[in-house]
Amino acid sequence: MTSIFEADGKQTACTIIEVSPNIVTQVKTIETDGYNSLQLAVGDKKEKHATKAAINHYAKANTPAKKITKEFRNYSIEKSLGETISIDIFEEGDSVQIVGTTKGKGFQGVVKRHGFSGVGEASHGQHDRQRAPGSIGASSYPSRVFKGMRMAGRMGGDRVKMKGLKVVKIFAEKNYILVSGSVPGHNNSIVLIQK
Amino acid sequence: MQSAVQFVHEQLTAKKETPKFKAGDNVTVNYKIVEGGKERIQSFRGDVIKLQGSGATATFTVRKISDGIGVERLFPILSPNIDGVILNKRGKVRRAKLFYLRERSGKSARIKEKRVN
């Protein structure tokens, strides 16, 4: 992330995303596959790291084997096999949605994971309770803990969609776009941009 | 290889000439403010207590005592609203962050001047 200044001095936090050209590696149609979809791939793989099946599949689109392949069912762009979808589909000022996997936080307590405020005060006989979850239910009735009770556990590493992010700037020669605000995931992680 | 952040920073952030200052220095920051459609310059004089960050996000904090009350203001170093920074005095300090000044007042909150030949 970085930030940019507008002419009036307003500072906007931005994330830089590299948009490499996506190659159409398979076109599925209702006649052949029962549904319509486009398979897009990005990121070259070395030939020694790819299986023969993968090399031959991508060879149909005249490209080396790819690292990331994803199929899209709802699309508005008509492309045929071997064509590319590149950064020029974006314009400055576009509103985009970005899907990514959040950073893993490990096993976290309820205060961090669910925003609980902890139990009680520090004094008046309280002891080791400041980040505790408190009661998790009543006693003899219902004699059980309800499903979905918020407790401590693994946090992060979830698929998250950020909506309404603005494309602030485009650097077509470097394939970079600048998006306002933050996006899910660590540095150099892979995200999906939906327009 | 040049990182993406550096590339964007070089493309979009205007270069600025500011005197090099450190924590402990006494500076005057001339800051542009827009009031009712008119622009005027407000100056803020005080001691730099913190330099933070790098690139486009770098900021510094200036602390002054105004009518007996401590006032701190944070400025982005590369902000286009900064008209200029004037270095008044160089301070002799042993730390990069001078947060201890917040608990002090009067004589003990002074910073010794560094004599530069």
Side-chain angles (χ1 to χ4, degrees):
Chain A
M1 282 191 76
T2 181
S3 69
I4 61 167
F5 291 101
E6 280 157 35
D8 60 348
K10 203 180 159 202
Q11 198 175 10
T12 317
C14 295
T15 310
I16 306 161
I17 303 174
E18 188 181 341
V19 184
S20 317
N22 286 218
I23 293 172
V24 180
T25 50
Q26 193 178 1
V27 181
K28 292 191 178 176
T29 56
I30 289 179
E31 293 88 64
T32 54
D33 304 280
Y35 62 98
N36 284 326
S37 81
L38 277 187
Q39 192 189 68
L40 303 181
V42 70
D44 283 353
K45 223 181 201 180
K46 275 187 184 167
E47 201 177 326
K48 65 173 180 180
H49 291 146
T51 60
K52 266 188 190 160
I55 291 168
N56 287 328
H57 172 72
Y58 292 108
K60 285 176 196 161
N62 284 327
T63 64
K66 298 287 183 190
K67 278 180 183 161
I68 307 142
T69 308
K70 199 160 171 57
E71 204 176 288
F72 296 89
R73 282 211 188 195
N74 298 319
Y75 53 90
S76 55
I77 302 170
E78 287 301 327
K79 291 273 180 184
S80 53
L81 190 68
E83 288 188 317
T84 57
I85 296 175
S86 55
I87 194 165
D88 51 2
I89 63 165
F90 295 110
E91 274 173 41
E92 278 174 27
D94 277 357
S95 181
V96 291
Q97 300 180 347
I98 293 184
V99 182
T101 308
T102 58
K103 285 181 184 173
K105 303 284 180 193
F107 193 100
Q108 294 296 335
V110 287
V111 173
K112 192 185 185 90
R113 193 169 181 230
H114 298 297
F116 285 17
S117 48
V119 167
E121 301 155 340
S123 62
H124 294 294
Q126 296 278 8
H127 171 59
D128 289 352
R129 299 266 294 150
Q130 287 199 21
R131 296 179 73 89
S135 166
I136 55 167
S139 179
S140 57
Y141 183 79
S143 286
R144 64 191 175 92
V145 173
F146 290 122
K147 274 192 177 174
M149 179 62 59
R150 292 174 297 165
M151 293 190 188
R154 282 276 184 101
M155 185 184 168
D158 307 315
R159 181 191 152 102
V160 166
K161 184 190 273 182
M162 299 285 285
K163 290 182 177 176
L165 301 177
K166 284 265 174 322
V167 177
V168 181
K169 194 96 185 159
I170 295 172
F171 296 101
E173 74 279 10
K174 281 260 186 185
N175 285 336
Y176 291 156
I177 63 170
L178 236 67
V179 170
S180 67
S182 57
V183 301
H186 52 81
N187 285 349
N188 301 321
S189 65
I190 290 152
V191 292
L192 176 70
I193 310 174
Q194 293 176 340
K195 211 172 127 177
Chain B
M1 205 189 83
Q2 193 188 32
S3 82
V5 172
Q6 273 174 349
F7 171 78
V8 170
H9 176 57
E10 277 171 22
Q11 296 288 313
L12 293 183
T13 317
K15 300 263 179 318
K16 285 187 90 177
E17 288 284 316
T18 43
K20 277 195 174 171
F21 54 85
K22 284 181 182 170
D25 295 350
N26 190 287
V27 294
T28 307
V29 183
N30 292 322
Y31 201 73
K32 289 181 211 159
I33 51 172
V34 177
E35 245 175 16
K38 274 190 178 176
E39 198 180 81
R40 65 182 187 87
I41 286 170
Q42 196 180 55
S43 61
F44 191 92
R45 184 180 172 150
D47 298 325
V48 178
I49 62 163
K50 174 175 84 167
L51 283 166
Q52 179 266 119
S54 64
T57 54
T59 61
F60 63 101
T61 304
V62 181
R63 179 180 171 86
K64 73 168 179 182
I65 306 293
S66 175
D67 298 334
I69 295 164
V71 179
E72 279 179 21
R73 205 163 158 186
L74 190 144
F75 300 98
I77 290 179
L78 293 170
S79 166
N81 280 353
I82 291 184
D83 195 49
V85 181
I86 301 157
L87 182 62
N88 303 317
K89 267 189 268 179
R90 290 210 174 273
K92 191 177 166 188
V93 288
R94 290 177 159 197
R95 274 155 192 69
K97 318 276 178 198
L98 308 178
F99 302 139
Y100 66 87
L101 289 177
R102 290 172 180 163
E103 282 117 50
R104 297 194 186 179
S105 62
K107 215 169 176 180
S108 65
R110 281 175 315 166
I111 296 172
K112 259 192 189 168
E113 194 178 342
K114 194 179 183 179
R115 295 281 167 202
V116 193
N117 296 322

